[in-house]
Amino acid sequence: EVQLLESGGGLVQPGGSLRLSCVASGFTFSNYAISWVRQAPGKGLEWVSGISGSGGSTYYADSVKGRFTISRDNSNNTLYLQMNSLRAEDTAFYYCAKDKYGYGELDYWGQGTLVTVSS
Amino acid sequence: QTVVTQEPSLTVSPGGTVTLTCASSTGAVTSGYFPNWFQQKPGQPPRALIYGTRNKHSWTPARFSGSLLGGKAALTLSGVQPEDEAEYYCLLYYGGAQLWVFGGGTKLTVL
């Protein structure tokens, strides 16, 4: 059974940093690209960042480019999102999602972790 | 800035048929955008329905179908069930810019 479990969310002050983790199981982790998608409370989905199976290619939405860094540890089946210079508008549930073929076929999703940026 | 537009809300009667669309600010949506469709119910993560314009996941009910329609990606629900009431999102791939953009979502009411 494919499972994705996010962690690391919490309350952080504007300008602060946070690192999210996503632990995967039930599939060969290194074979698949993974994306981070966020959703502000009561709002729509926003694609944030993606990474290839090898970790050699990374992609970012303009809204987070230069502030967020995606990475992965294939030996531990774990995806990361390092978030720096956080802003109030980064407040959201953050989901990790497995990409079936690498073109946005986000077939399995985690339950999400909530990041709140507030003073 | 690339914008993907969906109908904000639609209402359909049980047993009826409804089509949701997904448009790109860059022009006509083609299969090269690899349109995906997701369903989300309150308090739950999104659930994948359609990928690559018209392909269904193993769990996607047969009443859901994807297509291209008039320069847009489309999701059609035939024989709508009460449990289909949810928010629906499309996702397009912009290969040149290496980014993915979600539509704003369509709130589907079954009434």
Side-chain angles (χ1 to χ4, degrees), chain B residues 58-78:
Chain B
S58 59
W59 52 81
T60 304
R63 61 184 180 276
F64 290 87
S65 63
S67 65
L68 296 176
L69 198 64
K72 301 179 184 180
L75 175 71
T76 299
L77 288 71
S78 305

Side-chain angles (χ1 to χ4, degrees), chain A residues 10-89:
Chain A
L11 176 63
V12 61
Q13 292 188 336
S17 298
L18 211 56
R19 189 177 82 156
L20 305 184
S21 299
C22 168
V23 177
S25 61
F27 63 100
T28 304
F29 185 68
S30 59
N31 285 356
Y32 294 93
I34 309 283
S35 280
W36 285 102
V37 175
R38 69 184 180 184
Q39 185 170 37
K43 302 296 184 183
L45 301 174
E46 180 186 12
W47 175 82
V48 172
S49 181
I51 187 167
S52 62
S54 68
S57 297
T58 57
Y59 315 98
Y60 299 93
D62 288 344
S63 59
V64 305
K65 199 172 295 183
R67 299 188 300 124
F68 289 11
T69 301
I70 191 171
S71 62
R72 65 192 296 161
D73 179 351
N74 285 345
S75 63
N76 287 303
N77 290 358
T78 303
L79 174 76
Y80 301 102
L81 186 68
Q82 177 67 43
M83 304 185 296
N84 299 331
S85 303
L86 283 162
R87 307 165 179 167
E89 54 264 36

Side-chain angles (χ1 to χ4, degrees), chain A residues 37 39 43-47 59 95 100-111, chain B residues 34 36 38 40 44-46 48 51-52 57 59 89 91 93 98-100 102-104:
Chain A
V37 175
Q39 185 170 37
K43 302 296 184 183
L45 301 174
E46 180 186 12
W47 175 82
Y59 315 98
Y95 299 99
K100 187 180 175 78
Y101 295 119
Y103 293 99
E105 300 85 359
L106 306 179
D107 53 356
Y108 290 93
W109 296 62
Q111 291 297 311
Chain B
F34 297 90
N36 284 267
F38 303 88
Q40 188 180 32
Q44 297 181 17
Y51 66 94
H57 293 278
W59 52 81
Y89 294 92
L91 175 65
Y93 170 60
Q98 288 292 314
L99 58 84
W100 288 259
F102 279 97

Side-chain angles (χ1 to χ4, degrees), chain B residues 20-47:
Chain B
L20 290 63
T21 66
C22 174
S24 172
S25 62
T26 60
V29 176
T30 66
S31 58
Y33 286 81
F34 297 90
N36 284 267
W37 290 92
F38 303 88
Q39 177 193 65
Q40 188 180 32
K41 296 182 178 180
Q44 297 181 17
R47 181 175 78 132

